[in-house]
Amino acid sequence: LCPTFSISKTDGRTTVQPGETLTYVVNVQNTGNAAGSNVVLSDTLPSGVTFVSASDGGTVNAGVVTWTIASIAAGQTVQRTVTVTVNGTVSNGTVLTNTAAIGAAQGSDTTTVQILQKFADLSIVKSGPVQVIRGGNVLYTLSATNAGPDTATNVAMADQIPAGLTF
């Protein structure tokens, strides 16, 4: 008689953005015919994340979260969670692979970092007189509009002075 374990895990996500939080849910089932005692479950965090918390007394050391589960009866399933934040410096397309293990039994989850591009829809309208008097002043007005959906930052606007005019 001996315990045998299977592990499944998910964060319920396929993509994530930098700065967002992921909560990995780890399910451990004893598929054997005897109870397991002092079962050590380890969860290796992917690079590019920062540990936030772990359920049920899980501790983190060098990027590995560890739980010691006092007993898992035959047929019983226990659940543990670990929460991380995706670092702001993680590149678009990075695949975060998180793996939990008890001995040789492993369960993995992959999530791809997806940096959503921000878009601003800028337009400029220039207005001014149709005719001018030689030697007179001319006033042009430039109006910029952002139809969104995102805020435009560090916008520079330039206008070329028409031939025959001086600034």
Side-chain angles (χ1 to χ4, degrees):
L1 298 177
C2 65
T4 305
F5 300 102
S6 68
I7 300 174
S8 65
K9 72 177 307 177
T10 185
D11 60 12
R13 307 273 301 267
T14 56
T15 61
V16 66
Q17 293 186 54
E20 289 186 334
T21 299
L22 293 172
T23 299
Y24 293 105
V25 178
V26 183
N27 290 302
V28 177
Q29 183 178 23
N30 181 350
T31 58
N33 52 14
S37 58
N38 295 318
V39 177
V40 177
L41 169 64
S42 63
D43 190 331
T44 303
L45 301 178
S47 62
V49 302
T50 300
F51 173 81
V52 174
S53 65
S55 69
D56 300 279
T59 58
V60 66
N61 184 16
V64 178
V65 180
T66 304
W67 294 268
T68 300
I69 304 167
S71 178
I72 305 176
Q76 180 183 8
T77 299
V78 297
Q79 187 177 85
R80 300 293 183 261
T81 62
V82 60
T83 302
V84 299
T85 300
V86 179
N87 297 342
T89 56
V90 177
S91 300
N92 191 40
T94 300
V95 177
L96 304 174
T97 301
N98 180 248
T99 303
I102 296 175
Q106 291 188 344
S108 294
D109 179 78
T110 59
T111 305
T112 302
V113 175
Q114 183 177 36
I115 298 175
L116 299 178
Q117 299 298 319
K118 296 199 177 240
F119 295 98
D121 183 4
L122 300 177
S123 62
I124 297 175
V125 174
K126 179 178 180 178
S127 61
V130 175
Q131 296 180 356
V132 296
I133 299 172
R134 183 182 302 251
N137 290 329
V138 178
L139 176 65
Y140 289 104
T141 302
L142 300 175
S143 298
T145 304
N146 179 5
D150 295 311
T151 301
T153 58
N154 299 316
V155 175
M157 202 168 35
D159 184 42
Q160 187 168 358
I161 297 173
L165 297 179
T166 57
F167 185 67

